[in-house]
Every structure is written in structure tokens, then in C-alpha cells.
Amino acid sequence: MKRITLINGDGIGPEISDAVVKIIDASGLKIDWDVQTAGADVILKEGTPLPERVLNSVKENGVALKAPVTTPIGKGFRSVNVQLRKELDLYANLRPCKNLPNVKTKFDNVDVVVVRENTEDLYAGIERQVDNDTAESIKVITRKASERICKFAFDYAVKNNRKEVCVVTKANIMKLSDGLFLDCFRKIAENYPQINKREILVDNLCMQLVQNPSQFDILVLPNLYGDIVSDLCAGLIGGLGVAQGANIGLNYAVFEPVHGSAPDIKGQNKANPTALLLSAIEMLRYIGENTYAEKIEKALFKTLDSGICTADLGGKAATSEFTEAVIREL
Ligand code: NAI
């Protein structure tokens, strides 16, 4: 039986984790969940929102499913998410964005995968106050990080039968930093003659995405553009309740929804478990459980197609009712 770390988070985290565990269980797939608490609720008892035991569990199991955790503001704690990505060197942020049945959006043909570099760029945190009126932030782009993220995007394309990888930069202005990212893309692309290549500037990409998103297949971007564009793409498919994600490195992978811990609806049986469920389905594909991934995905799509959905999507179903409906379809 595969052992997987389950970080059940806080806020709506425990409710949606519960729902997803029940659904996977009902599919017939047996998983030995190694449940690890993290986040705001753990600070009082253990002095940190991300105790060592959580990291050790992911290192042992290799794979984790993670519900959202609250990041305490201004108390001197680093975000659990940022820390996890750093400690486990999860260099690739993967966000597949595809329309779901019956989830009404402006476009009905979106199927784009955003691959965001997760470790450097303006997020390296190298900033300085030059004087009272001037601050500087350094944008770091390295060959190592750029090549490995571009390779990740092409490998994902091959593995998932995708046709094209499009690199997104502002290399016309930032000739050295974004220029290096673009050079790395071109070099790595040579090893994948079967995949189409495309290059686009980030401003043009944003305009194209909100006019004609179906022209894009896989996008690969440095950290900052990736952060912004992946939220734009989440908006194209129906927003936070349905946006899945994953952070993947050479040795470990953490699958998690894009949304946060939604304290405003905590404990009210209102949260949409779809984003976490889609993240779990991608996780099952990652560990090679494709048959169960397809089976659960089909049940989810049938449920949505039948008009059953939670309030964030305009429906009336409680978290528990939606979960029961997916289980019935299984
Ligand atoms: P949020 O994503 O938690 O909530 C924004 C809005 O979307 C709220 O109105 C919420 O009710 C709604 N929403 C989010 N997920 C939903 C779901 N599954 N079903 C139905 N409605 C949903 O963002 P917010 O309020 O900015 O952040 C709350 C906390 O979450 C903060 O402490 C933040 O740091 C943390 N956070 C954690 C993340 C993670 O663990 N990966 C990611 C983003 C935020």
C-alpha cells in the first residue's frame, strides 16, 4: 500500500481533506495516509507552523497532498508554503487549467498548463533600502534553474501528449536576465524535436489569454510572471474553488490547491473540495495510479455535469452533499 503524507491544513483544510480522503477511499484505492498537522493551530503546541516531523514525513514518503494553511501575518513566522518549497527544493510549480463541466466561464475551450519556476527571480528576497526614498529588489535568473524548469515543461509535454511549449519572458527589455531564461529554453528545446516551440512576451501573452486562451498549450515562465499568469489562468476556468496545483522537485512532490484556508467559511460545510480533489487526481497520475485517477475524475465531472455544486460555483450543495454525490457516481 502506498504511503502518502497528508497535510490537512487549517481553516477549511480539514473539511476538504476529509472529503477527498473519503472519495479516494470509495474509489477502491487503498492509501496509507500519514496525517501531519501544520499551520496556525500547531504554533501554540510546537512553536512553529512547520515542525520538522512534517518535512521528515514528506522526505520519507516522497509525495504529499496538502490542504491550505493559514500564514500568520507579522508574527515572525515564515509561510509554511514558501518554507516547504525551499526545504524540499520543489522547483516546479505546475498548474493545469482546464474547463470543467457545467462551470460557466467566459471561454469553454481552455486547456492550458502553467509551469512556473519556483525558486528564484524577484522572489529570491534580495532587497535593500538604498535611502529613504529608494528601495531595490534584485532579479536573479540562473542557468541551472532556467534549464531545469524548461526541461520539466518539455518532459511534461512528452509524458502528457501535449503539442507545444511556449516560453514567456520580457527578454526585449531585460536582455540579460530574461535573455538567459530564453537562451536556456532554446537550448533545452533542441532535445525535443517532436514538440512545437513558441516564444511570447508576457504583456502580449496576457492580452492573448483574455481574448483567445485556447491557442495555448503549455506555458513556461520565470517565477514572477508565472505567479501572476497562473492566477489569470485560474480565473479563466472558474476561480479558486476549482484551481489545482502542484510543487514538484527532483525527489519530492507536494500537491495542493491554489486557494487559501478561507477562514470566512471555516467549519460551515460550505467549502468546495474540487480544487483539492483535482490536485489529488494529478497526484495519483504522478504516482502511476492512472486508472484510479481517471475513475475519480469521471465521477467528479459527472457530478458537476448533473448540476450538483457548492455555493462558490452558484450551487446549493454543502461540502458533505457534494462529496456524497461524487461517491455515488463512483
Ligand atoms: P483564500 O483563498 O483563503 O480565500 C479567498 C476567498 O475565496 C474567500 O472568500 C474564500 O471563502 C473563498 N474560497 C477559497 N477557497 C474556497 C473553496 N475551496 N471553496 C469555496 N470558497 C473558497 O484567500 P485569503 O483569504 O487571502 O487567505 C486566507 C489564508 O490562507 C491566509 O492566511 C493566506 O496566507 C493563506 N493561504 C494559504 C495558501 C496555501 O496554503 N497554499 C494559499 C493562499 C493563501
Side-chain angles (χ1 to χ4, degrees), residues 94 113 115 149-166 185 192 194-197 217-220:
L94 181 69
V113 178
V115 177
I149 196 68
C150 291
K151 183 173 182 307
F152 181 94
F154 279 104
D155 285 342
Y156 186 90
V158 171
K159 202 170 155 210
N160 293 279
N161 287 319
R162 313 287 299 210
K163 303 262 169 317
E164 184 182 274
V165 179
C166 174
F185 172 83
Y192 300 85
Q194 72 276 41
I195 306 288
N196 290 338
K197 293 97 192 167
D217 189 344
I218 294 181
L219 303 172
V220 61

Side-chain angles (χ1 to χ4, degrees), residues 22-315:
K22 274 188 188 144
I23 291 168
I24 293 179
D25 202 40
S27 77
L29 178 63
K30 294 278 168 271
I31 287 181
D32 177 13
W33 296 106
D34 179 6
V35 180
Q36 296 287 334
T37 49
D41 298 347
V42 172
I43 298 175
L44 274 182
K45 275 186 237 146
E46 302 183 53
T48 162
L50 184 65
E52 230 11 69
R53 61 172 167 76
V54 184
L55 284 167
N56 290 339
S57 163
V58 184
K59 284 179 183 165
E60 253 166 51
N61 300 323
V63 182
L65 181 65
K66 179 182 160 294
V69 294
T70 306
T71 304
I73 298 174
K75 286 188 189 156
F77 292 106
R78 283 166 67 204
S79 147
V80 167
N81 306 308
V82 173
Q83 220 177 322
L84 262 177
R85 284 171 206 170
K86 232 185 165 119
E87 298 277 341
L88 302 173
D89 197 20
L90 305 174
Y91 66 86
N93 182 266
L94 181 69
R95 295 252 195 111
C97 297
K98 191 174 175 184
N99 282 117
L100 292 167
N102 228 355
V103 178
K104 303 255 174 308
T105 54
K106 287 203 167 54
F107 302 96
D108 55 12
N109 49 4
V110 180
D111 184 6
V112 57
V113 178
V114 182
V115 177
R116 162 188 168 194
E117 202 288 321
N118 230 355
T119 64
E120 55 180 28
D121 194 353
L122 278 162
Y123 292 32
I126 308 171
E127 289 193 302
R128 73 181 185 117
Q129 193 77 42
V130 179
D131 57 41
N132 266 348
D133 305 311
T134 312
E136 286 178 346
S137 197
I138 308 268
K139 175 172 164 119
V140 181
I141 300 284
T142 65
R143 186 176 300 283
K144 181 182 166 217
S146 305
E147 284 189 355
R148 70 178 178 176
I149 196 68
C150 291
K151 183 173 182 307
F152 181 94
F154 279 104
D155 285 342
Y156 186 90
V158 171
K159 202 170 155 210
N160 293 279
N161 287 319
R162 313 287 299 210
K163 303 262 169 317
E164 184 182 274
V165 179
C166 174
V167 65
V168 184
T169 65
K170 191 75 186 169
N172 56 334
I173 305 295
M174 279 159 280
K175 294 181 196 301
L176 293 181
S177 53
D178 279 15
L180 176 60
F181 193 87
L182 182 58
D183 273 353
C184 292
F185 172 83
R186 288 176 179 160
K187 182 179 156 214
I188 295 294
E190 286 172 9
N191 303 326
Y192 300 85
Q194 72 276 41
I195 306 288
N196 290 338
K197 293 97 192 167
R198 183 170 170 186
E199 299 175 4
I200 195 166
L201 298 176
V202 64
D203 40 355
N204 184 20
L205 171 81
C206 291
M207 197 266 291
Q208 302 280 341
L209 274 172
V210 297
Q211 286 202 318
N212 177 19
S214 65
Q215 63 179 298
F216 295 105
D217 189 344
I218 294 181
L219 303 172
V220 61
L221 315 88
N223 207 341
L224 176 64
Y225 310 142
D227 192 4
I228 297 165
V229 167
S230 53
D231 271 28
L232 191 163
C233 290
L236 291 175
I237 58 156
L240 285 176
V242 297
Q244 59 165 309
N247 291 295
I248 301 177
L250 275 186
N251 303 312
Y252 317 112
V254 177
F255 293 79
E256 61 176 339
V258 170
H259 64 73
S261 55
D264 53 334
I265 55 166
K266 172 187 174 179
Q268 296 173 32
N269 200 15
K270 274 189 190 166
N272 187 354
T274 302
L276 184 64
L277 184 58
L278 286 168
S279 309
I281 290 169
E282 190 75 17
M283 178 191 78
L284 295 182
R285 293 204 173 99
Y286 177 85
I287 63 169
E289 293 290 358
N290 293 47
T291 312
Y292 285 101
E294 305 299 319
K295 188 174 166 185
I296 298 168
E297 189 176 68
K298 226 165 143 187
L300 169 67
F301 288 180
K302 272 186 162 173
T303 307
L304 290 168
D305 214 19
S306 70
I308 300 174
C309 61
T310 44
D312 57 308
L313 297 180

